[in-house]
Amino acid sequence: MRCTFIPPYLLRRLAEGGNATDHHTLRLDEELRQRRIAPVPTFRTGTRIGSSTRVIYDAHNDEKLPGTVARQGDPATGDPAVDEAWDHAGLVWQLFDEEFQRRSVDDQATPLRISVHYGDHYDNAFWDGRQLVFGDGDGQIFDRFTKPVDVLAHEFTHGVIQHTAALAYQGQSGALNESVCDVFACLTKQRHLGQTATAADWLIGDGIFLPGVRARALRSMTAPGTAYDDPRLGVDPQVGSMADYVETDADNGGVHLNSGIPNRAFALAAIALGGHSWERAGRLWYDALTRGEVGPQTDFRGFAEATVHSAERLFPDDELVAAAVHNGWQTVGVLSWPAMPAPVAPAQEPPPAPLAHRVAVRRFGGYAGVLQTGELDLDDDEPRVVEVRNLLTTVDPQAIRSTPPAPDRFSYTLEYGPHTLRVSEPDLTPELYRVVQIVLGQ
């Protein structure tokens, strides 16, 4: 898999405007794409290059990789591209290692191989399946591709995806591939700056354009389609809602255009959750990517459901987390069923009503038609009584269903305090089922 940072539709527009550099970049991209149609082998597990986590190479404006070693440790070299690549690779490595316990792209601590000064005024950056590669930009529109930290983080994440969910780079799975890279690019940038989700600008590629270009960045995660508006670039064509989803054969099925939809879903969820994006929202996206529920052909809906499942699994005691994630995906039109409510928790919840002193259970029906009864003194402190008391505090009597009894199925009556619950066997909640087990001594 070879994933480039600058979408081909943007390079094509610049080339059509007479930019010879971008004609060359497009040609080179196509040559590299054809060269890498065959599966690309990854680093062997355990490979080490020196003793550091990364090695920076200088391609000397040639197109042969990796080039010559330019930096393998301290001190700085004075070459901005080399030193930016070194520093930014350390930041993204640190994010994945410290927040998600992942070491390098393959989780085997394989050192990163990074080449800078690739090609002649090359207008792009990419992960080629084995290493990261960065061009110097054309000097007219694009600056060095090593300059913004999120560019390197984006390409690093393509490597992580290759070693985890392996999202196919086509259509919705390809747009997810691009989006997940933008997500972790933003997390790297926000963590480096110490920003909360609400304070962050949510821009990708801020600083990639030279002065004079009417652009804030290459992409906006909170407002896809608003990052640039320049005569040479055109208007940012990204979309942020399924209502505007682009069906196209270009750009691998619009992977850079439609990635704005899941990008916006993540940003909305992270902002709703508050705090630092990598602490909760980032954990959910990483968990969904690596747990096994997401695979090469996963579409937007499949990934959205995986993130909600991760929220329910990782934060089972905080329903607001899953609600925020669900609502983010619903806002962009991926999850269309009614959103779960996400009310603001009251400052002080009223104390629970005191329990009665006993609970009584009757079970009747079944194939043999046998009646069984039992009672439990709730004032006792033995473990089974404590468990029943705790279970009953979680039961909402108003939410218990009461469907007609089914043939040869049991029916139950539970009495405690002011409550009398009549429940058919299929409608027993797990909590009530456990209460019945304990009280009837089953």
Side-chain angles (χ1 to χ4, degrees):
M1 177 181 70
R2 180 174 178 278
C3 308
T4 59
F5 188 73
I6 298 299
Y9 60 75
L10 189 54
L11 290 174
R12 192 168 291 109
R13 179 182 177 91
L14 292 171
E16 289 169 353
N19 191 323
T21 298
D22 292 294
H23 275 294
H24 178 69
T25 298
L26 279 169
R27 178 192 61 76
L28 186 54
D29 277 356
E30 182 58 31
E31 288 178 2
L32 287 165
R33 188 176 300 110
Q34 294 301 321
R35 195 183 307 166
R36 295 185 176 92
I37 288 176
V40 180
T42 59
F43 285 118
R44 290 178 298 166
T45 299
T47 299
R48 293 292 182 273
I49 306 173
S51 59
S52 68
T53 58
R54 66 265 198 211
V55 178
I56 314 300
Y57 294 84
D58 187 341
H60 302 288
N61 301 117
D62 202 344
E63 296 161 12
K64 296 177 182 178
L65 293 173
T68 58
V69 174
R71 183 172 177 183
Q72 211 164 353
D74 293 329
T77 66
D79 182 324
V82 170
D83 295 335
E84 286 163 352
W86 177 266
D87 293 340
H88 296 166
L91 292 174
V92 68
W93 183 293
Q94 187 179 46
L95 168 78
F96 276 90
D97 184 17
E98 296 181 1
E99 302 299 339
F100 311 117
Q101 293 72 58
R102 184 178 193 86
R103 302 186 68 202
S104 193
V105 294
D106 58 2
D107 202 20
Q108 300 295 320
T110 299
L112 295 174
R113 184 162 58 179
I114 305 168
S115 294
V116 301
H117 300 310
Y118 176 80
D120 182 16
H121 294 92
Y122 183 66
D123 268 351
N124 221 338
F126 60 89
W127 163 261
D128 75 347
R130 292 175 291 196
Q131 70 164 94
L132 298 129
V133 183
F134 297 87
D136 291 327
D138 56 19
Q140 302 173 41
I141 294 175
F142 292 106
D143 207 337
R144 297 184 306 277
F145 280 77
T146 53
K147 190 173 181 180
V149 62
D150 47 14
V151 177
L152 192 146
H154 177 105
E155 300 306 331
F156 178 101
T157 308
H158 277 306
V160 174
I161 293 172
Q162 175 179 314
H163 289 277
T164 54
L167 288 161
Y169 204 61
Q170 179 71 36
Q172 287 196 16
S173 60
L176 282 170
N177 196 317
E178 279 297 313
S179 174
V180 170
C181 291
D182 279 353
V183 164
F184 288 97
C186 256
L187 297 187
T188 303
K189 175 182 171 183
Q190 292 174 18
R191 189 174 188 266
H192 173 53
L193 297 175
Q195 293 176 331
T196 62
T198 53
D201 60 20
W202 293 98
L203 296 175
I204 299 292
D206 178 22
I208 197 66
F209 293 111
L210 289 166
V213 179
R214 285 163 37 185
R216 295 185 298 152
L218 188 64
R219 290 186 284 276
S220 168
M221 292 186 66
T222 51
T226 66
Y228 58 83
D229 183 356
D230 183 89
R232 292 162 293 181
L233 300 172
V235 178
D236 178 4
Q238 258 210 330
V239 298
S241 170
M242 289 300 291
D244 302 314
Y245 186 87
V246 180
E247 296 283 358
T248 177
D249 294 330
D251 188 27
N252 294 92
V255 298
H256 290 93
L257 295 172
N258 294 315
S259 62
I261 298 170
N263 272 6
R264 184 169 167 235
F266 176 84
L268 289 171
I271 292 169
L273 290 171
H276 296 120
S277 300
W278 59 87
E279 292 175 339
R280 288 195 287 181
R283 278 186 65 193
L284 303 180
W285 258 242
Y286 182 77
D287 184 70
L289 183 70
T290 58
R291 195 179 67 253
E293 188 174 345
V294 173
Q297 301 303 322
T298 297
D299 61 7
F300 287 177
R301 185 184 180 95
F303 192 84
E305 291 173 346
T307 59
V308 173
H309 296 161
S310 292
E312 294 168 344
R313 190 175 68 85
L314 296 180
F315 299 93
D317 299 325
D318 190 350
E319 295 179 357
L320 296 182
V321 177
V325 173
H326 188 288
N327 290 343
W329 287 109
Q330 192 204 29
T331 299
V332 301
V334 172
L335 296 181
S336 57
W337 57 75
M340 295 180 291
V344 177
Q348 184 175 0
E349 296 185 3
L355 285 175
H357 297 285
R358 71 177 185 94
V359 58
V361 174
R362 290 190 300 160
R363 187 187 77 171
F364 51 96
Y367 180 77
V370 175
L371 173 64
Q372 186 176 4
T373 64
E375 289 188 10
L376 195 65
D377 182 358
L378 294 178
D379 290 332
D380 203 324
D381 285 327
E382 63 175 296
R384 69 190 185 113
V385 175
V386 172
E387 183 179 359
V388 168
R389 283 204 304 264
N390 290 337
L391 288 167
L392 291 176
T393 61
T394 68
V395 174
D396 179 5
Q398 303 301 318
I400 301 301
R401 297 175 58 193
S402 182
T403 56
D408 290 338
R409 299 297 295 269
F410 291 114
S411 294
Y412 296 85
T413 299
L414 294 88
E415 296 178 344
Y416 62 102
H419 306 298
T420 299
L421 308 180
R422 294 179 175 85
V423 189
S424 297
E425 185 179 8
D427 301 324
L428 277 180
T429 66
E431 295 81 10
L432 289 180
Y433 182 74
R434 179 61 180 150
V435 169
V436 166
Q437 281 186 312
I438 295 173
V439 176
L440 297 184
Q442 297 175 335

